Structures are given as C-alpha cells and as structure tokens.
Amino acid sequence: MDRVAAQFPEAVAERYVDRAGGAWAVIHAEWLPKVATFLKMDPELDFKLFGSADAVDRLHLAESDPRFEVVYFLYSLKRKEHVRLKVRVTETRPEVPSLTPLYRGANWWERLVFDFYGIRFTDHPDLRRILLYEEFQGHPLRKDYALRDRQPLIPERPIKDIFRGPGTSGIA
C-alpha cells in the first residue's frame, strides 16, 4: 500500500491494519480503476488474481456515513500477498466504477453486490440480477429490507428441457 499511496496520494482516503494483521486501504471511488490497474500491471506488485468483492451496509454502525462500503480482495501469486481495498458509497448515489474491464472475474461479484445491495457499477458489461428474479423488489442484504414483506407474484416461466440426465427416456 506504500507504493499505491506514493503513486496516487490523492486516491487513498485512509489506511489501517485489521485485528488479523491485514492491511486495508480506503480508496476514493473515482480512483478505483487507476489504483486497480496499477496494482495489476506493476511488475513488482503483480496483483493479477481477483479474489472477490462484496459490500457492507453500515446502517446501524456508529459511523454510518457513507452508508455502504464495497470491498475488494486481490491476490499476487508472485508475492503471495493479498491486498484489500474499500470504496465508500453514499446511499443517495450508490455507484462505483466497474473493475470488470480490468478483471474478468469481477463480473459475477459486481452483479451479486448489485443484486443484493443495489450498488450500481458504471461501465459494467451486463449489470443485471444474478440470483434473484428481475421482478424482485428491493435488495435483501440492506439492513432496512423488510423481512416480512411479500414479493409480487409473477407468472411461472416456461422452462425448456435442454438436458435429460442418465436413465431418463423422455417417454411418459
């Protein structure tokens, strides 16, 4: 993180070490693509493996503004090190630049965060729900999602029988 802070001093909002000894950097959202590109392309750093991304709803925390954090885990096979990045996102404008153009592995994770938290990823090639159906209302991992609310009923969609497993003849 020292190299990132030296290369992009205005990009890093905060740095800290967690209880397990992991180093974290909070990056301003507009700098995320440049910082991630630097981490991946710098031959000494070589963070080419996209581990995962997720989000945190900070609604009930003492310091809850901005409300959301998008967290990224990158790994360098060469250095055998993880890098942990956070981007803080407001409730009024929940948007983060997509890392999918840089890391193809970010595609699924960004769709998951969009689906469950409602955080949009600008320039994402296919930002749509991944686990919930399109008509689902709300985002279930937000801490203000009503657990007892009912989702609207939708008509059953026809499913093509594209694969029959072993032992099935298809004859009724």
Side-chain angles (χ1 to χ4, degrees):
M1 293 317 312
D2 293 334
R3 294 202 50 188
V4 171
Q7 182 77 18
F8 306 102
E10 58 279 351
V12 180
E14 179 184 340
R15 291 173 58 186
Y16 66 92
V17 176
D18 63 19
R19 290 180 289 187
W24 288 81
V26 179
I27 305 294
H28 295 293
E30 64 272 12
W31 286 94
L32 180 64
K34 289 182 181 177
V35 170
T37 301
F38 176 71
L39 287 167
K40 182 177 182 179
M41 300 304 181
D42 185 282
E44 287 185 39
L45 298 177
D46 201 39
F47 284 94
K48 292 195 185 320
L49 182 63
F50 186 91
S52 66
D54 205 348
V56 176
D57 185 350
R58 302 162 29 112
L59 181 65
H60 299 301
L61 296 178
E63 293 180 28
S64 63
D65 189 42
R67 179 172 172 182
F68 300 105
E69 288 180 335
V70 179
V71 294
Y72 297 94
F73 298 91
L74 308 175
Y75 187 71
S76 172
L77 294 168
K78 180 179 183 180
R79 298 170 62 97
K80 295 181 178 33
E81 288 181 8
H82 287 92
V83 69
R84 299 157 193 87
L85 303 175
K86 285 186 181 183
V87 176
R88 294 198 172 131
V89 183
T90 63
E91 184 176 10
T92 56
R93 192 168 172 257
E95 283 186 354
V96 177
S98 175
L99 290 185
T100 301
L102 181 63
Y103 292 103
R104 289 177 59 193
N107 186 325
W108 191 90
W109 294 101
E110 289 177 354
R111 286 179 60 192
L112 181 81
V113 170
F114 166 70
D115 198 2
F116 286 170
Y117 292 93
I119 297 169
R120 302 192 66 77
F121 292 87
T122 56
D123 299 324
H124 191 284
D126 187 22
L127 193 62
R128 59 189 164 100
R129 290 195 181 268
I130 193 165
L131 295 176
L132 299 172
Y133 54 96
E134 289 298 323
E135 295 86 0
F136 191 93
Q137 295 176 357
H139 305 283
L141 291 185
R142 285 190 175 198
K143 291 182 179 172
D144 58 359
Y145 180 78
L147 294 176
R148 299 203 184 272
D149 275 359
R150 294 293 207 166
Q151 289 294 321
L153 294 175
I154 60 169
E156 187 174 336
R157 295 183 178 103
I159 299 173
K160 291 181 182 178
D161 186 15
I162 58 172
F163 176 78
R164 292 193 180 276
T168 59
S169 64
I171 301 171

